[in-house]
């Protein structure tokens, strides 16, 4: 089996609501993931805290504006800004989403799914290579949650991700919650999705909460991780081995101690999964 990518351990999304606690408490978090666009500025409070936290913790950059699957030319000025930020904080890797998010020159502020076709595959692969040439490192791409599918699809989403990693050399950010959300919305098996991804390409995992409306599920990042996602996460680590894990929260922010408790649960489940993996080896 191919060697898995090295793990950073267990991290949190860096949010301004928690800046003071992080610097005052130096909490037991292995690393933080920063939203790249929040720090594409010349100075101010955000960069002050980012620099201070970068002195203590490993960081990863996570973007929301690349629009890697979009029909319009990539924003080269944006890519230069991303590269400059990377030079400043030296992230372990840089990620974004497998989606499109721009209409003409305007950001739509949504992460929209692609048609999984051969034409789309080669279009995205060429753009990934262009981004990697600028950044001089592999691009890590996340599977998004989705609510509609294209009638033109020629691949499943996991088949598309496999082919894209092979063609472009990109790596994958496997969002376990997004797999669960999409599986509920589209009626596929979540474990089939995960077990058919290339393990050697999976750089990172995401965990988050969602809103369950019964007939459909919405990825909101404003609730704790639910039991079915925890179970899917443990099964994923039993399959993959250790992978850098990130807990996201983007709204309804709880006290910082509650997030740390939730992150501790990820550690505990990860330890159980890896212990079980060793027993089966």
């Amino acid at each position: 089996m191919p060697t898995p990518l090295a793990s950073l351990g267990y991290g949190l999304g860096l949010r301004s609501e928690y800046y003071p606690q992080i610097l005052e408490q130096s909490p037991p978090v292995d690393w933080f993931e920063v939203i790249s666009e929040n720090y594409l500025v010349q100075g101010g409070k955000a960069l002050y805290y980012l620099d201070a936290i970068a002195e203590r913790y490993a960081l990863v950059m996570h973007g929301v504006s690349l629009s890697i699957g979009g029909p319009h030319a990539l924003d080269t000025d944006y890519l230069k800004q991303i590269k400059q930020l990377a030079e400043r904080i030296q992230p372990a890797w840089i990620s974004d989403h497998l989606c499109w998010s721009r209409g003409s020159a305007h950001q739509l502020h949504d992460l929209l799914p692609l048609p999984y076709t051969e034409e789309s595959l080669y279009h995205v692969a060429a753009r990934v290579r262009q981004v990697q040439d600028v950044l001089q490192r592999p691009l890590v791409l996340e599977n998004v949650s989705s609510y509609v599918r294209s009638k033109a699809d020629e691949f499943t989403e996991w088949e598309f991700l496999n082919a894209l990693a092979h063609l472009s050399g990109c790596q994958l950010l496997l969002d376990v919650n997004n797999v669960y959300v999409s599986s509920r919305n589209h009626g596929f098996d979540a474990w089939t999705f995960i077990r058919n991804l290339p393990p050697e390409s999976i750089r990172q995992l995401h965990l988050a909460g969602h809103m369950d409306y019964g007939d459909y599920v919405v990825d909101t990042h404003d609730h704790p991780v639910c039991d079915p996602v925890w179970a899917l996460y443990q099964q994923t680590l039993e399959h993959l081995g250790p992978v850098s894990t990130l807990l996201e929260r983007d709204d309804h922010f709880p006290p910082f101690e509650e997030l740390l408790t939730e992150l501790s649960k990820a550690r505990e489940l990860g330890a159980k999964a890896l212990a079980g993996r060793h027993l089966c080896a």
Side-chain angles (χ1 to χ4, degrees):
M1 179 176 290
T3 303
L5 298 170
S7 173
L8 288 181
Y10 296 84
L12 289 175
L14 182 62
R15 303 296 182 261
S16 60
E17 286 76 7
Y18 301 120
Y19 286 159
Q21 293 97 318
I22 293 168
L23 291 182
E24 291 166 7
Q25 300 173 16
S26 295
V29 177
D30 296 326
W31 56 285
F32 286 96
E33 180 187 80
V34 307
I35 301 299
S36 302
E37 288 77 4
N38 290 343
Y39 303 96
L40 302 182
V41 293
Q42 296 302 310
K45 177 181 175 181
L47 278 183
Y48 165 79
Y49 279 106
L50 181 64
D51 288 339
I53 292 168
E55 291 178 357
R56 304 186 189 184
Y57 293 94
L59 297 180
V60 164
M61 288 170 54
H62 186 54
V64 295
S65 303
L66 181 59
S67 195
I68 194 67
H72 306 286
L74 290 166
D75 186 339
T76 55
D77 289 336
Y78 168 76
L79 286 176
K80 290 175 183 176
Q81 288 180 293
I82 292 293
K83 186 174 183 179
Q84 289 171 357
L85 180 61
E87 290 170 350
R88 181 183 188 119
I89 66 173
Q90 294 298 308
W93 56 85
I94 300 173
S95 65
D96 207 291
H97 301 79
L98 180 61
C99 70
W100 65 279
S101 58
R102 279 181 59 206
S104 299
H106 302 289
Q107 283 290 338
L108 302 176
H109 302 292
D110 207 346
L111 306 173
L112 301 169
L114 306 177
Y116 299 124
T117 65
E118 186 171 335
E119 180 182 10
S120 178
L121 173 63
Y122 284 99
H123 171 70
V124 175
R127 288 161 69 87
V128 168
R129 290 192 291 268
Q130 182 182 346
V131 172
Q132 293 178 155
D133 286 345
V134 173
L135 300 181
Q136 292 296 295
R137 62 173 78 206
L139 177 64
V140 182
L141 287 174
E142 176 183 351
N143 58 292
V144 297
S145 54
S146 63
Y147 312 94
V148 295
R149 304 174 77 170
S150 170
K151 290 184 178 180
D153 282 354
E154 299 166 359
F155 306 98
T156 62
E157 186 176 356
W158 55 90
E159 289 170 339
F160 191 93
L161 286 164
N162 260 290
L164 182 61
H166 175 73
L167 281 173
S168 69
C170 74
Q171 296 171 353
L172 303 179
L173 194 173
L174 170 56
D175 191 311
V176 179
N177 179 65
N178 287 356
V179 173
Y180 176 82
V181 168
S182 295
S183 74
R184 287 279 306 277
N185 289 336
H186 302 308
F188 64 79
D189 178 63
W191 180 237
T192 297
F193 185 119
I194 291 172
R195 70 180 174 84
N196 281 294
L197 294 177
E200 69 279 6
S201 296
I202 298 176
R203 168 59 74 181
Q204 180 186 341
L205 304 179
H206 267 176
L207 292 168
H210 58 255
M211 285 292 291
D212 189 336
Y213 294 97
D215 292 337
Y216 62 96
V217 184
V218 179
D219 179 34
T220 55
H221 294 189
D222 61 359
H223 282 69
V225 179
C226 70
D227 288 343
V229 172
W230 281 126
L232 188 60
Y233 169 66
Q234 185 171 349
Q235 188 177 17
T236 298
L237 285 187
E238 289 170 354
H239 171 62
L240 294 175
V243 182
S244 302
T245 296
L246 190 285
L247 178 65
E248 292 185 290
R249 182 66 71 94
D250 291 313
D251 203 356
H252 298 167
F253 293 102
F256 191 55
E257 291 72 20
E258 289 186 22
L259 274 190
L260 293 179
T261 298
E262 195 171 14
L263 189 65
S264 293
K265 182 171 182 176
R267 289 185 190 273
E268 293 167 6
L269 289 178
K272 289 180 181 178
L274 297 178
R277 177 182 169 87
H278 291 316
L279 289 175
C280 294

